[in-house]
């Protein structure tokens, strides 16, 4: 984790200053060096930044407003950032190591010949309304998400669950057909609610058991949380009394608010602003290394021309990844052909040079596909407005294909229309996106989302028959605990992917956040499952 | 006169019915799906279908329109698919912000437009007139968002005199509230003033060249008296029309200014509703805005007889 640190002036009160001045005078009288006082000041300033302080209000600026209060239905990143503090989840992804660890759960154990996952819960956990959290609440939560009538996007994440059994107040058993490695990482998204709340949660005040309680949502203005003084886990209780999340859509206003001191933290902003803010000593910039979000292009294989492997491969050779990262991501990205980066255990080094920028190869592949100099070719890029990086990649790809003889159009529509055309009507040829989950367990990466799983949700129309052997290798990796076997299975998956290339992966991108120097202990999360419990405000 | 008032009042009804049909159809035909927006791209198809059924989006268009109109007749403009707050609740919160912004912007606009418009008309082709006209063109040409960002940069980031955006409610104190509204009011008012100034100048120039003004001057009336009592009153008629349109425009919410200054007003509310395909909120608010626009114009029309006796006597309109 690379985190920009700015030199800060040590804060000192008038009383302390006079005390130090007295000490300095005494040291000078005793013939001591002034450096002794500087050392004392430094020594006293250091613990101030190390000792978290309780209290204060943290104001966080986000790029858009939330659109629901439903924990399992809302899928915006801005809502994930807020609700992670309101609810407890059974597990969490460590923001530094990216490993998935127990959070509310005390342990996860596979039993019954690896067809059951036993989850142990701590005792003494209460919801914000005072109700006791038990295994019944966890069962209710998981069963509700599995119910299609609830409308949760997480339903596919926990698809392998067959049944949830309550063993006692603090233990439950999840029945599956085999070990399912996607489940524990999927539980990082599952917010536990009291069963008394029912499933119509969008109409209710959010009640969780997390370190922060929901106070209010004023649409287009703010969401307020307050510290939960009765949080069950003392070690993970929050420091700041109140967190106010403000939606500010205009990027320059967000940055101005930070520079003017009107907000404490600007959460997730354009990477192109990073160099400018790094040059400003009044703010600190925190950058998450490129690992989770990856730029890909969905290719619709239900219609020509991307039914042909040569056309898909041409798309793989068409982007100048280095140029894009350098010029449009402020260098804060990494060219990749795999969903994983080298820090990840499933990363296969053979993928590194599988595809690179080569316009000549694009031209040759067009010819092999039966479109010499682009004759007879017809496709376009569909991009959503408000996502400039998608349009930039589409434009770079357009330029490469133009140099090979065919200039595809770029059609820009609003995000709702874009999503409907990608996921419902499938009325598109090619579309750039940056799906998440490159940093989590590969079982979840490949089981959920829009690019990899060969199921009806796959945007490009990938079916189990498209790539022979692909599904078998995915299942091997998802259903064993043997790390070596898993690594081999996912290496094969990546190899098959690059051979058939249903959707080129171009690079990973960082995410950037900036805050005032008084904000201490902020560690950004790669997947927006942000915890603010370690954050505290210095004087 | 009475016939005019009745006719003008009744003419609003078919206009409003037409608006409901238009608003409903426009939002109906916008491609996109609120269920997909809420559930997200990764939601399985059966989940999206379930949400569509729950919200009645799988019903035929005429059935949905019928339900919507029946609800409107009962005073129910609908409820957001997303926040589950009623349209009236959302409007109750957003409208005061927009109303305050509109009033303050109008004040800024009038403070700029009225004196400069009058002086420009009284001294046409003078340095002041040329300067005001040039400034007007600049004001019309400068994009609102750019002016807003520049104001924020100067007064919030550099000088630290005012906040860089966000709304402080009146409940937190008048001074605090006004501090949060000064920059947006200047940004919006400056733009509005250019149009008003040009209309006032043109109206005044027309009137100042009229025979009755020459007569008034020939009778020896003081210049100020001629200007205020005779010229301005008549020049105000076209000015009032533009002012009414501007008011409607400002009260409908100004998306760009509200977005730049992060104000939770009507403009952002309706923009978010459209982007999320929150049909109930979008149609409800657009209907309210259109209705207020129609009623404002009605009010302006009804003000004409007060300003222009010829309307009252039916000489120029033929209504009596």
């Amino acid at each position: 984790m690379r985190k920009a640190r700015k030199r800060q002036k040590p804060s000192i009160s008038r009383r302390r200053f006079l005390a130090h001045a007295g000490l300095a005078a005494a040291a000078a009288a005793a013939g001591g060096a002034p450096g002794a006082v500087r050392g004392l000041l430094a020594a006293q300033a250091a613990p101030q930044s190390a000792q978290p302080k309780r209290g204060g209000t943290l104001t966080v600026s986000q790029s858009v407003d939330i659109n629901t209060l439903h924990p399992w239905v809302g899928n915006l990143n801005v809502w994930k950032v807020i609700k992670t503090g309101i609810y407890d989840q059974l597990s969490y992804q460590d923001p530094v190591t990216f490993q998935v660890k127990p959070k509310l759960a005390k342990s996860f154990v596979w039993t019954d010949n690896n067809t059951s996952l036993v989850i142990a819960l701590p005792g003494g956990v209460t919801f914000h309304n005072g109700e006791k959290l038990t295994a019944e609440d966890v069962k209710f939560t998981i069963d509700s998400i599995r119910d299609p009538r609830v409308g949760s996007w997480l339903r596919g994440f926990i698809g392998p669950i067959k049944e949830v059994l309550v063993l006692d107040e603090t233990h439950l058993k999840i029945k599956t057909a085999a070990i399912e490695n996607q489940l524990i990482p999927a539980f990082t998204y599952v917010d536990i609610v009291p069963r008394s709340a029912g499933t119509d949660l969008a109409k209710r005040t959010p009640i969780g058991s997390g370190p922060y309680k929901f106070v209010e949502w004023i649409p287009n203005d703010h969401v307020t949380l307050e510290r939960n003084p009765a949080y069950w886990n003392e070690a993970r209780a929050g420091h700041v009394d109140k967190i106010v999340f403000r939606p500010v859509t205009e990027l320059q206003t967000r940055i101005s608010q930070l520079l003017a001191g009107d907000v404490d933290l600007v959460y997730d902003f354009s990477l192109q602003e990073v160099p400018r803010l790094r040059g400003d000593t009044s703010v600190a910039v925190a950058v998450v290394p490129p690992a989770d979000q990856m730029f890909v292009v969905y290719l619709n294989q239900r219609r020509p021309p991307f039914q042909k492997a040569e056309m898909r491969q041409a798309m793989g050779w068409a982007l100048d990844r280095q140029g894009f990262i350098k010029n449009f991501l402020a260098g804060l990205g990494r060219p990749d052909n795999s969903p994983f980066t080298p820090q990840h255990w499933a990363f296969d080094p053979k993928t590194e040079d599988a595809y690179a920028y080569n316009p000549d190869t694009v031209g040759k592949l067009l010819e092999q596909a039966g479109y010499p100099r682009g004759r007879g070719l017809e496709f376009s890029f569909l991009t959503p407005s408000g996502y400039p990086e998608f349009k930039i990649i589409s434009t770079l790809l357009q330029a490469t294909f133009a140099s090979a003889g065919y200039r595809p159009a770029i059609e820009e529509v609003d995000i709702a229309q874009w999503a409907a055309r990608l996921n419902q009507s499938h009325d598109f040829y090619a579309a750039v996106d940056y799906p998440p989950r490159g940093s989590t367990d590969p079982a979840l990466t490949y089981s959920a989302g829009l690019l990899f799983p060969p199921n009806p949700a796959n945007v490009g129309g990938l079916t189990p028959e498209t790539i022979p052997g692909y599904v078998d290798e995915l299942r091997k990796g998802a259903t064993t605990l043997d790390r070596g076997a898993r690594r081999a299975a996912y290496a094969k998956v990546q190899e098959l992917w690059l051979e058939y290339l249903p959707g080129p992966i171009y690079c990973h991108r960082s995410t950037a956040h900036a805050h005032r120097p008084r904000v201490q202990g902020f560690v950004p999360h790669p997947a927006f499952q942000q915890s603010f419990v370690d954050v505290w405000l210095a004087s | 006169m009475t016939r005019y008032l009745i006719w003008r009042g009744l003419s609003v009804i078919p206009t409003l019915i037409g608006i409901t049909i238009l608003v409903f159809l426009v939002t109906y035909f916008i491609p996109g799906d609120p269920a997909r927006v809420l559930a997200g791209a990764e939601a399985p198809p059966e989940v999206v279908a379930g949400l569509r059924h729950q919200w009645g989006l799988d019903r035929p268009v005429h059935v949905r329109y019928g339900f919507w109109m029946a609800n409107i007749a009962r005073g129910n403009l609908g409820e957001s698919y997303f926040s589950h707050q009623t349209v009236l609740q959302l409007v109750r919160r957003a409208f005061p912000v927009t109303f305050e912004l509109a009033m303050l912007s109008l004040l800024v606009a009038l403070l700029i437009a009225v004196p400069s418009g009058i002086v420009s008309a009284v001294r046409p082709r003078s340095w002041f007139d040329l300067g005001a006209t040039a400034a007007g063109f600049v004001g019309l040409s400068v994009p609102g968002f750019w002016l807003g960002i520049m104001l924020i940069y100067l007064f919030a980031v550099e000088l630290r005199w005012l906040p860089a955006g966000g709304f402080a409610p009146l409940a937190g104190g008048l001074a605090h509230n006004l501090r949060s509204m000064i920059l947006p009011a200047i940004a919006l008012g400056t733009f509005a003033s250019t149009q008003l100034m040009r209309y006032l100048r043109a109206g005044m120039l027309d009137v100042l060249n009229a025979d009755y003004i020459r007569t008034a001057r020939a009778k020896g009336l003081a210049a100020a008296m001629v200007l205020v009592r005779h010229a301005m009153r008549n020049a105000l008629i076209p000015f009032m029309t533009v002012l009414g349109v501007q008011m409607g425009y400002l009260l409908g919410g100004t998306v760009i200014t509200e977005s730049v200054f992060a104000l939770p007003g009507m403009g952002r509310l309706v923009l978010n509703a459209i982007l999320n395909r929150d049909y109930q909120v979008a149609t409800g608010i657009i209907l309210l805005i259109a209705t207020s626009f129609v009623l404002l114009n009605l009010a302006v029309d009804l003000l004409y007889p007060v300003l222009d006796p010829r309307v009252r006597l039916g000489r120029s309109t033929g209504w009596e």
Side-chain angles (χ1 to χ4, degrees):
Chain A
M1 174 77 42
R2 192 151 55 98
K3 192 172 176 183
R5 293 279 180 210
K6 303 284 172 188
R7 183 177 292 173
Q8 293 170 29
K9 287 180 185 171
S11 128
I12 182 166
S13 67
R14 191 163 154 265
R15 182 177 293 176
R16 280 177 63 202
F17 172 76
L18 291 174
H20 295 319
L23 275 172
V37 177
R38 281 203 297 274
L40 178 68
L41 275 173
Q44 292 195 348
Q48 186 193 27
S49 58
Q51 285 291 323
K53 209 181 73 172
R54 182 162 283 181
T57 298
L58 176 76
T59 309
V60 182
S61 157
Q62 295 193 295
S63 58
V64 289
D65 197 12
I66 59 173
N67 60 14
T68 181
L69 290 175
H70 201 306
W72 314 320
V73 173
N75 71 335
L76 294 179
N77 284 339
V78 288
W79 178 221
K80 284 179 200 155
V81 169
I82 295 169
K83 75 189 174 99
T84 302
I86 301 173
Y87 299 95
D88 272 320
Q89 301 79 28
L90 292 171
S91 56
Y92 80 104
Q93 186 185 18
D94 187 299
V96 178
T97 65
F98 299 161
Q99 285 178 337
V100 177
K101 298 173 178 175
K103 187 180 176 187
L104 175 66
K106 279 163 67 181
S107 63
F108 297 101
V109 179
W110 284 100
T111 61
D112 300 345
N113 204 19
N114 289 335
T115 57
S116 300
L117 180 66
V118 173
I119 302 173
L121 303 170
V125 181
T126 53
F127 287 105
H128 300 154
N129 61 359
E131 285 177 31
K132 193 172 169 186
L133 186 152
T134 69
E136 289 288 355
D137 298 301
V138 179
K139 174 182 162 55
F140 166 77
T141 296
I142 294 173
D143 284 345
S144 300
I145 291 172
R146 293 170 65 212
D147 182 350
R149 288 169 302 177
V150 170
S152 174
W153 62 284
L154 298 167
R155 185 166 182 257
F157 283 38
I158 56 172
I161 295 177
K162 293 190 162 194
E163 195 182 3
V164 183
L165 303 170
V166 172
L167 302 179
D168 60 41
E169 214 170 56
T170 55
H171 290 85
L172 66 156
K173 184 184 271 187
I174 289 179
K175 302 285 287 178
T176 58
I179 285 172
E180 293 290 351
N181 285 313
Q182 76 182 66
L183 285 183
I184 297 172
F187 289 148
T188 64
Y189 294 92
V190 174
D191 303 305
I192 310 299
V193 305
R195 60 191 185 286
S196 63
T199 56
D200 207 1
L201 298 168
K203 293 179 181 173
R204 289 170 165 269
T205 297
I207 299 287
S209 59
Y212 283 92
K213 290 191 210 178
F214 175 87
V215 177
E216 65 174 355
W217 171 31
I218 305 293
N220 291 322
D221 195 48
H222 67 267
V223 176
T224 304
L225 309 183
E226 67 180 12
R227 203 171 66 80
N228 174 13
Y231 188 54
W232 61 277
N233 186 349
E234 188 71 23
R236 301 297 298 154
H239 297 298
V240 294
D241 287 338
K242 206 189 267 189
I243 308 177
V244 179
F245 297 91
R246 292 198 177 279
V248 181
T249 45
E250 176 55 46
L251 172 67
Q252 292 309 321
T253 306
R254 299 180 72 202
I255 290 172
S256 295
Q257 285 186 321
L258 181 73
L259 295 174
D262 293 344
V263 300
D264 296 304
L265 172 67
V266 174
Y267 200 92
D268 188 28
F269 60 89
S270 165
L271 293 173
Q272 295 201 62
E273 295 291 336
V274 169
R276 175 187 152 201
L277 286 178
R278 274 186 171 156
D280 195 312
T281 52
S282 67
V283 296
V285 180
V287 174
V288 181
D292 199 69
Q293 277 185 316
M294 62 201 97
F295 281 106
V296 303
V297 58
Y298 302 125
L299 301 176
N300 192 347
Q301 294 145 70
R302 299 174 190 87
R303 53 155 82 163
F306 295 111
Q307 289 165 329
K308 293 185 177 176
E310 293 89 347
M311 278 305 299
R312 301 196 297 269
Q313 288 161 356
M315 197 62 88
W317 294 102
L319 183 73
D320 179 1
R321 295 160 165 83
Q322 293 282 9
F324 168 68
I325 291 167
K326 183 178 166 219
N327 296 310
F328 299 105
L329 298 183
L332 298 167
R334 205 198 109 84
D336 281 301
N337 287 294
S338 156
F340 314 112
T341 51
Q343 301 98 299
H344 200 293
W345 62 263
F347 174 76
D348 181 2
K350 289 202 288 284
T351 62
E352 284 216 83
D353 301 317
Y355 291 89
Y357 180 51
N358 194 331
D360 293 339
T361 308
V362 173
K364 283 176 195 155
L365 285 165
L366 290 193
E367 208 168 316
Q368 285 171 28
Y371 305 110
R373 293 296 301 157
R375 275 198 296 278
L377 190 54
E378 188 189 338
F379 75 91
S380 60
F381 292 99
L382 186 68
T383 70
S385 50
Y387 292 78
E389 289 158 351
F390 297 1
K391 194 168 181 185
I392 289 165
I393 291 181
S394 302
T395 308
L396 294 172
L397 292 169
Q398 180 192 49
T400 306
F401 279 96
S403 71
Y406 176 72
R407 186 184 171 83
I410 296 175
E411 190 186 353
E412 191 168 352
V413 294
D414 75 8
I415 186 74
Q417 201 181 142
W418 184 79
R421 285 177 63 177
L422 253 62
N423 301 290
Q424 277 165 263
S425 63
H426 305 300
D427 177 20
F428 77 103
Y429 291 97
V432 177
D433 191 10
Y434 51 20
R437 283 185 286 283
S439 66
T440 188
D441 191 284
L444 186 62
T445 311
Y446 283 114
S447 70
L450 309 173
L451 186 65
F452 305 110
N455 64 27
N458 187 282
V459 173
L462 182 66
T463 62
E465 294 76 35
T466 312
I467 312 176
Y470 179 69
V471 174
D472 299 333
E473 295 298 330
L474 284 180
R475 288 306 295 158
K476 273 187 212 168
T479 54
T480 175
L481 296 174
D482 180 337
R483 179 58 66 85
R486 296 192 74 199
R487 191 175 282 124
Y490 289 122
K492 186 68 185 168
V493 164
Q494 289 170 74
E495 185 190 320
L496 289 170
W497 183 270
L498 290 171
E499 190 184 332
Y500 286 83
L501 206 65
I505 298 165
Y506 290 129
C507 58
H508 284 82
R509 76 190 284 273
S510 296
T511 47
H513 318 273
H515 58 83
R516 306 288 303 169
R518 78 172 188 139
V519 176
Q520 305 282 313
F522 171 67
V523 181
H525 195 280
F528 299 94
Q529 293 165 302
Q530 186 61 49
S531 165
F532 288 98
V533 295
D534 294 318
V535 174
W536 58 281
L537 301 171
S539 302
Chain B
M1 180 66 193
T2 314
R3 270 179 61 201
Y4 169 73
L5 292 179
I6 291 170
W7 181 90
R8 195 62 190 82
L10 288 176
S11 70
V12 166
I13 296 169
T15 310
L16 288 177
I17 291 173
I19 286 171
T20 62
I21 295 171
L22 200 68
V23 165
F24 192 85
L25 288 180
V26 165
T27 48
Y28 177 80
F29 283 113
I30 299 175
D33 181 359
R36 178 56 74 182
V37 172
L38 181 61
E42 293 179 316
E46 68 274 14
V47 164
V48 176
L51 283 172
R52 286 181 61 79
H53 181 71
Q54 200 179 312
W55 295 338
L57 295 174
D58 50 0
R59 291 175 180 167
V61 61
H62 62 276
V63 176
R64 282 169 57 189
Y65 177 74
F67 274 116
W68 185 59
M69 285 302 284
N71 280 333
I72 287 174
R74 288 195 290 269
N76 174 11
L77 284 172
E79 181 187 279
S80 165
Y81 299 133
F82 297 86
S83 68
H84 287 278
Q85 298 187 26
T86 64
V87 172
L88 288 178
Q89 275 177 317
L90 291 167
V91 168
R92 209 173 291 142
R93 234 183 252 127
F95 186 73
V97 179
T98 298
F99 183 75
E100 187 182 350
L101 176 63
M103 291 301 115
L104 290 173
S105 310
L106 215 60
L107 183 67
V108 170
L110 289 174
L111 285 175
I112 298 171
V114 172
S116 54
I118 293 172
V119 175
S120 289
V122 172
R123 297 203 165 98
R125 290 183 213 91
S126 65
W127 281 111
F128 183 88
D129 182 32
L130 290 174
T133 306
F137 276 121
V138 172
L140 273 178
S141 315
V142 167
F145 74 89
W146 184 84
L147 181 63
I149 288 169
M150 288 301 112
L151 288 171
I152 288 175
Y153 188 74
L154 179 64
F155 291 101
V157 178
E158 287 300 314
L159 300 171
R160 304 253 176 147
W161 290 351
L162 295 163
F167 177 68
L170 262 172
L174 181 65
H176 202 44
N177 167 264
L178 284 178
R179 272 170 53 82
S180 73
M181 294 301 266
I182 289 174
L183 292 182
I186 291 174
L188 198 55
T190 306
F191 181 75
S193 71
T194 54
Q195 247 189 331
L196 292 176
M197 188 199 80
R198 286 162 59 80
Y199 270 92
L200 187 59
R201 179 184 176 275
M204 285 290 286
L205 276 176
D206 276 352
V207 170
L208 286 171
N209 291 324
D211 290 344
Y212 68 92
I213 295 290
R214 208 171 300 127
T215 309
R217 281 181 183 145
K219 281 166 68 182
L221 278 179
M225 182 76 85
V226 174
L227 197 67
V228 175
R229 279 195 62 177
H230 297 275
M232 264 192 70
R233 194 165 175 188
N234 286 299
L236 275 180
I237 294 172
F239 182 76
M240 284 295 287
T241 308
V242 180
L243 198 66
V245 174
Q246 286 276 2
M247 272 284 283
Y249 160 72
L250 293 171
L251 288 176
T254 48
V255 175
I256 293 172
T257 307
E258 288 179 7
S259 295
V260 167
F261 290 96
L263 298 174
M266 297 284 283
R268 272 176 86 195
L269 188 62
V270 76
L271 177 70
N272 281 349
I274 292 169
L275 288 177
N276 285 330
R277 302 296 188 271
D278 199 347
Y279 297 135
Q280 299 266 347
V281 177
T283 48
I285 294 175
I286 293 171
L287 183 65
L288 277 180
I289 291 171
T291 307
S292 61
F293 215 97
V294 168
L295 294 179
L296 260 170
N297 276 291
L298 176 68
V300 169
D301 278 4
L302 297 181
L303 262 177
Y304 280 159
V306 179
L307 293 168
D308 186 351
R310 287 171 301 177
V311 175
R312 199 170 4 198
L313 297 170
R315 281 178 200 160
S316 59
T317 60
W319 293 110
E320 285 193 19

